[in-house]
Amino acid sequence: MIIDSHVHLKHGNVDRTEYAAETIVESMDGAGVDKSIVFAICTTAWNAIELATAAHTQFPDRLIPYAYALPSSERTILDDLEEAVVNRGFKGIKIHGGECTLGEYVSDPVLKLAGRLGVPCLIDFCGRHKDLDRIANSFPETQIIVAHLGQYLTSNQPLIDQFIGTAEACPNVYLDISGVVLLWKIREAVERVGALRVIWGTDGPYPTPDLKTYITTDIAKVRASGISEADQQAVLCDTISNLLNL
């Protein structure tokens, strides 16, 4: 089994591209992916919940929903996040450091809620390692998934090493390898923290060169990273499956 742990119903690109659940599943079928974790960003927390709910309702055995924690001046989002997890079967919460601060006065209530509910937070730290260090140590009961090994498409090796180092020190930290361009860092992450805390995802869908090939190329990165077949199985499926109790 292969699980894509990082798929956008709505992207954070310039066009804020949205992808229908049917399109996502069609691309999964073409690439041999069994399940995908889906969420939306660059929209309100409430709209993101509705988009993910609709996708999961349409494909309950294929698409696994995460909520999106974007604060609003209109009202608190905490009750809606909890309702999504408790009543709608949502398995995690997405936070994006590019859309809101990760300061304690904003993110901490969400992190506390996730720990109480027993669901992980997938966080894009946008390269801000100090935020991970604070969060991981302040919330040891909350499982933190670090998107993109710390920063999307980065070639900054010392920065990646800092994020891996925090994962070594903090057993509640998992490493998402979507958007990683330095393939040897996938192997180093596995060697340093173990394959059962490294998670594959595509950060898709992307149409270049086409939706299917984008996924298969990303799977090939894991196959070519130099890790064992058993570790490949963990990274491509078992780690996220165990974390989410699938």
Side-chain angles (χ1 to χ4, degrees):
M1 180 179 287
I2 295 178
I3 301 173
D4 187 341
S5 69
H6 197 132
V7 177
H8 288 263
L9 292 161
K10 185 170 186 176
H11 266 294
N13 59 352
V14 172
D15 296 326
R16 303 294 190 259
T17 307
E18 293 190 27
Y19 284 93
E22 298 95 328
T23 302
I24 292 172
V25 170
E26 182 179 350
S27 67
M28 291 163 57
D29 289 341
V33 172
D34 299 279
K35 298 178 184 290
S36 289
I37 293 166
V38 295
F39 50 83
I41 65 171
C42 293
T43 187
T44 66
W46 305 294
N47 187 50
I49 288 171
E50 293 307 319
L51 288 171
T53 297
H56 175 60
T57 300
Q58 189 172 0
F59 296 99
D61 297 324
R62 305 294 301 280
L63 302 182
I64 302 162
Y66 277 8
Y68 184 45
L70 182 64
S72 171
S73 58
E74 182 179 346
R75 60 183 172 88
T76 180
I77 62 171
L78 293 177
D79 291 342
D80 299 273
L81 297 177
E82 182 164 4
E83 191 273 337
V85 172
V86 173
N87 297 327
R88 304 194 191 196
F90 278 50
K91 292 291 189 176
I93 298 172
K94 166 75 173 180
I95 303 174
H96 199 300
E99 289 215 281
C100 67
T101 179
L102 299 177
E104 63 274 11
Y105 52 93
V106 172
S107 62
D108 283 15
V110 175
L111 295 160
K112 183 177 180 180
L113 174 68
R116 177 167 64 80
L117 296 176
V119 297
C121 284
L122 170 62
I123 305 177
D124 190 332
F125 286 92
C126 300
R128 298 194 291 272
H129 171 259
K130 288 184 178 179
D131 285 335
L132 170 63
D133 209 40
R134 182 193 72 79
I135 287 170
N137 286 285
S138 298
F139 295 93
E141 74 285 358
T142 302
Q143 308 304 312
I144 307 298
I145 305 174
V146 178
H148 316 308
L149 279 185
Q151 187 171 41
Y152 182 60
L153 298 181
T154 187
S155 57
N156 185 336
Q157 297 187 60
L159 179 64
I160 294 172
D161 289 340
Q162 285 183 305
F163 279 97
I164 296 175
T166 297
E168 279 186 300
C170 300
N172 60 320
V173 175
Y174 294 72
L175 299 171
D176 161 297
I177 59 171
S178 67
V180 171
V181 295
L182 303 180
L183 297 190
W184 60 92
K185 288 300 179 184
I186 297 174
R187 184 183 68 251
E188 289 182 18
V190 169
E191 290 172 349
R192 291 175 63 180
V193 306
L196 289 178
R197 281 201 286 134
V198 178
I199 297 169
W200 174 75
T202 60
D203 195 32
Y206 276 111
T208 306
D210 58 71
L211 296 177
K212 170 190 170 183
T213 305
Y214 180 82
I215 299 172
T216 56
T217 300
D218 215 76
I219 294 172
K221 292 180 182 179
V222 177
R223 304 295 190 199
S225 65
I227 63 176
S228 70
E229 289 188 8
D231 285 345
Q232 290 176 33
Q233 175 63 25
V235 171
L236 291 169
C237 174
D238 295 348
T239 303
I240 192 66
S241 181
N242 292 341
L243 183 59
L244 302 185
N245 297 311
L246 298 180

